[in-house]
Structures are given as structure tokens and as C-alpha cells.
Amino acid sequence: MLLVVDNSEQPSHAEQLKSSLPEGVELLFCSNDGYGAAVNLGVAWHAQNSKDAQYLLVSTHEALPEPGALRKLESTLASRDKAAVVGPALVTGVDSELVWSLGGYFSRILGLPRHHGHKSPRSILNGAESHAVSWLDGAFLLFRKSVIEWHSIDEAFFLYMEETDHQQSLRRLGWEVILEPRAVVWQSSGGTPAFYQTRNIQLFQAKNGTGLQRIASAPYVVATSIARDMIKRRGTSQWAPLVAGWRAGMSLRPAPQADGQPKIVLINPLGAALAHYTDALAEMLRASGSDVEVQSINEPSVAGSSRWRWVFDYLRLLSNASQSRPGYRTSQTLVTWPVAGFLDLAVAKLICGRSTAIVYHDPKPLVRSIGSGRLIARMVSAIPNRPRIIVHSLAAAEAMREFGLGQSLEVLAHPMLRPNGRNGTGGHPQKERPVVRVLGQFKQDRDFDALKAIATELDDCALEIVGRGWPTVAGWSVDARFVSEQEMDDLVRSSDVIVIPYKRFYQSGIAIRALEAGTPIVGRAASSLADMYGADSSLLVPESNNAESAEPNPWTSAVRHAIRNGAPEAQAAANKFFDAAVSDWRTWISETVAHTKRSLR
């Protein structure tokens, strides 16, 4: 669906514009409050009228894409899970012979935005491939729609640098900004007005720069511009606007946040394993009215670094999060995984203070973990005003109480993306044989008896196990490797049933992803799956049944029920669980704001 936003403030041209647009193109008129305001208005319109779209193109009237450019941008954005926005190579000139911009970077000392490849011959595009850049020109940008809906453009800039500022906020949240040089768009640009050049660099640096950059950027721009005009004998017509913009920018500061809007810094020390969890949590917090910043590092097995380096990087993230940010009276640090078990409660208290919460997924880890013993727990329990503890199931809460860590303990629903959202929940296509999968890394607490029973009785199904470290399992096709986030999503969506064959677990990220995709889950009733489906669900295996002697085996009965009738139950469970999760986290945000305000009095 195509929308034209006209902010020209020329009513006499309205009828002419309407008549010149093809049928089906929508048109909005608005006052000229700048580029950002027009984009935000268009995004809000599409949020209501293009709900099923995954991507959103923002184009100015002066951009002309070459054939195939948009498809190349779409392909690149679809192939990069962490990309929020992708832009083309911008060219200019009568014959499109010069490069205008290949994205941008920031100068080393003052952090001034500079174009890559500016005014270079177009031939430099030959053989170029997509890659991350610091920023993209706002003339022609393809966004992940959910991202730009959550993160609007700052309208205070009016003109120039608002897209650069917007992209820095996305990068701080963990998103990538991607240049696709194989997509080419012609652009006509008159350059930057002198007034906004000096005014907006101050607003930009106030939000993104260092102390030196805030002080020195505008004077440097004024001095170099005047010197350039004198050398080239251009006259003095631009000097007054430069100085006026400098003076206007001195009073500009980022708009202070309302007292009720907290700043949440999400720290994810398992950047690969908990990527999906962190994305879902961030979206849920934003839906509750928070400004969320995500800081992630990859675990040693992915980064290829030592465990000590990983711990050092984690401490650095905690230190960064502890620094107060202007305009936020209610700041909170939320750690998605404790690197050192219960010791994290002491470390986070020391570095970040009271405004910290830590999520404990496995109070009694299946894999041996540093800092997770009873002695450490008793020592940490004596710390006054320690960080809050978050768990995602009643079983996990009971385990924490057994360790003496029941104080400041909160049970919140496992975060999930919206059902029917970007992961989709459409029905699965009919297959010759139903696909039953076990997904995720192998752990010793897997129930091999259940897997054996399923393989024995379900020879009419395709039985697959995909996950790192799995041994051979009779009757199952085993693919023992690590899979990417995108491939994991594809595996979840294309499964008819997902089996969770743990003997003991507190929550399952795979089960949450299956809920998001509308894929039925089979597992034990005496687990957190009962929180999703209800303990009496036919998809869950009751503990009273003996998997070795019961006829038919309860695991195979549950799988067959899931194949025949599981989809509607999965859909209903997904909607109910999502609503409960939103309510839980919204309440937590409200209590966080109130708690922080009390501590500031």
C-alpha cells in the first residue's frame, strides 16, 4: 500500500497532486513540521492500515530508484535478522555518474557525520556487497516495520541529521544499519542549509556525543565553513545563518523523559543463545511504555574468546549501565542471564546499585555452573537491598526459596513476541508425513525413554532432532549442530509438533517460540508447560502415567492429539499467555517506577 505525505503547505496544488496519483495511492496533507514529522505521520498511518506488512519504505520526492533496487533492499533486509534498516547506494549527476553517499561514518575526534564515497565515480560500486555502516542518508530507506513503529524519529531536528540520530538510537538497541550497494537510487540534493548545519549538530551531539564533541563541534563547523568560503571567495552570505544556527543550538537539549517513563538497560551476556528471548523481552517492555536499550555480548562458544574475557566484557556492560543518563529519573538495569550464578546478585549490587534485576532461568542448572551452590546462595542472601530476582515459573520460584533467596523474588511470565506477529501463526501446509521435532541443545536431563516410545509407535511420522551436542537416538534423524535464529524460526514454523522431552525444567524458550508460531507442543504436565496450556491439556503427559508400560504410551497419544487437533489449542494458549505476559510486565514496570521514585526521595 502506497501513501504520499504532502507537507508542502501549498493548498493550490492539492487537486493537481490528487489527479496525478495512480488509483489506489493514498494521500495525506499536513503542516510542514519537517522530515521526521512527515515520516512519523506516515508510519502511524501504516500501523493502522498495513498491519500485515513486514517492511516499510521511506522515500523523499527527490529519489528515483533504478530497476530492481527495491527488491534487492528487501532481500538484504530479509536475510539479516539484526538489520533494522537498509539503504541503497545514492548516485547523482545528469547521467548518474557520481556517488552521493554509500552510507556514512563519524570523524575520529569530533564525531561529525561524513559520507562514504562522496563524489566518487560510480565505478566504485562494481563488486561491492552489503555491509553495516554507521548511518544512512534518509532519502530512500527500507525499514523493518515493527522497528520504526516502536522507534519514531525525533522531530526536533526539523531538517538534517534526524535520520542519523534515529539510526544511532537503533544501533544502541543492538540493531544494524546496512548499506546495499547493489541497489542504486538517483538523488537530487541541494546540500545542507547553513542554519540547520550548526543548530542540529549541537542537538545531535547533546544526544549522542562526548563532552568534547558537544562543546567543539559547532564552533569547528562555523570556523571551517567561513575559512572555506574565504579561500574560494564565495562571499559572506552563509555566515549569518551559520552563527544564527550556532546560537539557536546552544539552548537545545534532548527532551526530558516523563517521570513515568523508565529507562531500562537490558544486558544480555548470551548474545546468541538468548537473542530471541531478549528481543521478545525488549518488545514487551516497550509495549509497557519503557525506553529500552539493549547491550549484548556473545558467549565464549560463539565469540571464540576465553571465559575470562567474557566475564570482563560483562562487567564492562554493568559499568556502562550504571552511568546515569540525562532526563531519566527512573533507570533500571535488567540482566537476562547471571554469568556467575548467585554471585551476580553481589556483583550487580556493587556496580549498579539497587536499581537492578536479574533473570534466573535455571535456579538448579542442568549443567554445572559457577556460583550456583547453596553456600554462595547463603552468603548472598545476607546482602541487604540486593537486586531483585525474576523467574518465569512457580517451580523456579520454589527452588529459589529453597536457596534462601525468596526476598525480592518476582514470578513474571516468560516474554514472547505477539502471536500472529512477525513470526506468523498460519496453518502448516499438508505434508505426506507429519513432522515431529525436538529442537535445542542437548542436556543430560532429556528423557530418552519418551523419545524411544515415540519412535517405536509413530513410524508414520518424520521424527527429527536438531540441536548442538545430541547423540544418536534410535528411530530419530539427528542433526547435531548449532542453528541460526532464522533457521530456528523456520524449523519451529514448519513443524507439526514440537516435543519437549525434559525430565525437569523451569521454562523452555523453544516452547515459547512454538507458541508464537502456533505450533503445538508436547511435554510433561508437571512443568512450566502447564502455565501455557493448563495441566489438564491433552497435549501434556501426566506424571501418573508410566511411559514404559502404559498402552498406548502417553507420549505418543499426546503427539497424535497434537497432529490432529493441536493447532486450535495452541492458538488459544498463545493468545492467553501473551495477554498474561503483557499484564505481568506492565505491572512490573509500574512497580519499578514507584520503587525507584521512593529510593530517590
Side-chain angles (χ1 to χ4, degrees), residues 182-509:
R182 291 166 292 195
V184 180
V185 173
W186 181 88
Q187 180 197 22
S188 172
S189 176
T192 306
F195 175 84
Y196 289 108
Q197 190 174 9
T198 48
R199 171 189 181 270
N200 287 1
I201 190 61
Q202 294 177 85
L203 177 56
F204 178 83
Q205 299 294 27
K207 297 179 66 177
N208 302 281
T210 64
L212 173 64
Q213 291 166 353
R214 295 187 188 105
I215 295 171
S217 291
Y220 176 83
V221 171
V222 171
T224 54
S225 297
I226 291 176
R228 190 181 304 114
D229 288 346
M230 292 177 65
I231 293 171
K232 296 186 177 182
R233 299 182 180 181
R234 292 175 176 170
T236 63
S237 62
Q238 297 300 309
W239 296 5
L242 280 170
V243 175
W246 182 11
R247 295 177 62 183
M250 289 180 181
S251 61
L252 288 176
R253 292 292 183 271
Q257 303 298 318
D259 283 349
Q261 183 188 31
K263 173 79 171 187
I264 307 294
V265 181
L266 269 183
I267 294 181
N268 176 19
L270 299 181
L274 289 184
H276 189 89
Y277 173 91
T278 304
D279 287 345
L281 177 55
E283 288 200 14
M284 198 148 280
L285 292 171
R286 291 181 189 119
S288 301
S290 300
D291 184 6
V292 181
E293 177 179 336
V294 179
Q295 299 184 11
S296 296
I297 54 173
N298 284 332
E299 50 270 45
S301 60
V302 175
S305 59
S306 69
R307 185 175 181 85
W308 288 112
R309 179 67 194 184
W310 177 52
V311 172
F312 175 81
D313 288 341
Y314 171 61
L315 295 176
R316 176 176 52 80
L317 291 186
L318 288 176
S319 178
N320 292 341
S322 69
Q323 300 175 13
S324 61
R325 288 170 172 79
Y328 292 93
R329 297 183 66 246
T330 52
S331 179
Q332 180 83 193
T333 300
L334 178 54
V335 180
T336 63
W337 183 272
V339 166
F342 300 134
L343 286 174
D344 276 49
L345 294 168
V347 173
K349 170 67 184 299
L350 178 65
I351 297 177
C352 299
R354 299 173 62 182
S355 298
T356 309
I358 302 175
V359 180
Y360 281 84
H361 299 259
D362 298 308
K364 298 178 181 178
L366 297 175
V367 179
R368 185 177 179 182
S369 175
I370 295 175
S372 296
R374 292 188 178 276
L375 177 60
I376 298 295
R378 283 198 296 269
M379 294 171 58
V380 171
S381 66
I383 299 175
N385 298 319
R386 62 177 178 267
R388 289 182 288 173
I389 297 170
I390 295 174
V391 295
H392 294 316
S393 68
L394 294 176
E398 184 59 33
M400 295 300 287
R401 293 189 184 99
E402 290 177 9
F403 281 114
L405 295 172
Q407 185 181 3
S408 300
L409 175 66
E410 298 167 281
V411 182
L412 302 178
H414 194 295
M416 66 177 288
L417 299 176
R418 182 182 296 276
N420 291 317
R422 69 186 185 199
N423 283 341
T425 55
H428 304 298
Q430 293 296 320
K431 309 180 186 73
E432 184 177 340
R433 301 174 69 200
V435 177
V436 179
R437 288 193 177 109
V438 175
L439 300 174
Q441 180 179 352
F442 173 77
K443 295 178 182 177
Q444 293 296 331
D445 215 40
R446 297 285 185 174
D447 190 340
F448 283 100
D449 289 336
L451 296 177
K452 178 181 176 181
I454 292 172
T456 300
E457 299 184 22
L458 293 180
D459 56 359
D460 57 336
C461 297
L463 306 179
E464 301 176 4
I465 297 175
V466 183
R468 184 168 51 190
W470 271 88
T472 300
V473 180
W476 292 78
S477 170
V478 177
D479 186 357
R481 62 183 175 86
F482 175 81
V483 297
S484 68
E485 287 292 301
Q486 183 60 56
E487 186 178 359
M488 181 62 75
D489 281 342
D490 293 341
L491 289 168
V492 170
R493 281 196 296 266
S494 61
S495 300
D496 290 284
V497 183
I498 292 176
V499 176
I500 311 290
Y502 279 111
K503 293 180 180 178
R504 174 182 65 84
F505 63 98
Y506 296 108
Q507 65 271 320
S508 167

Side-chain angles (χ1 to χ4, degrees), residues 35-98:
Y35 171 90
V39 172
N40 291 339
L41 179 63
V43 170
W45 186 91
H46 276 290
Q48 294 298 318
N49 296 281
S50 306
K51 294 184 178 180
D52 294 332
Q54 287 184 292
Y55 309 122
L56 186 63
L57 176 69
V58 174
S59 174
T60 62
H61 66 282
E62 58 195 11
L64 182 63
E66 294 188 357
L70 186 55
R71 289 195 179 277
K72 291 172 183 173
L73 294 178
E74 181 183 11
S75 175
T76 299
L77 190 55
S79 67
R80 288 177 172 263
D81 294 341
K82 290 298 183 181
V85 58
V86 60
L90 294 176
V91 298
T92 192
V94 177
D95 297 316
S96 304
E97 72 277 10
L98 293 177

Side-chain angles (χ1 to χ4, degrees), residues 124-176:
I124 68 170
L125 301 181
N126 296 337
E129 296 185 354
S130 61
H131 59 275
V133 292
S134 296
W135 59 272
L136 293 164
D137 190 291
F140 199 89
L141 298 172
L142 185 65
F143 285 92
R144 203 173 294 276
K145 183 168 175 280
S146 60
V147 173
I148 195 169
E149 285 180 354
W150 284 113
H151 305 285
S152 60
I153 296 176
D154 189 344
E155 299 176 13
F157 287 88
F158 185 78
L159 179 69
Y160 178 63
M161 291 194 71
E162 57 267 84
E163 77 271 43
T164 312
D165 167 73
H166 183 240
Q167 291 158 23
Q168 300 325 295
S169 68
L170 296 180
R171 292 175 68 206
R172 284 193 293 271
L173 294 172
W175 292 103
E176 291 181 334

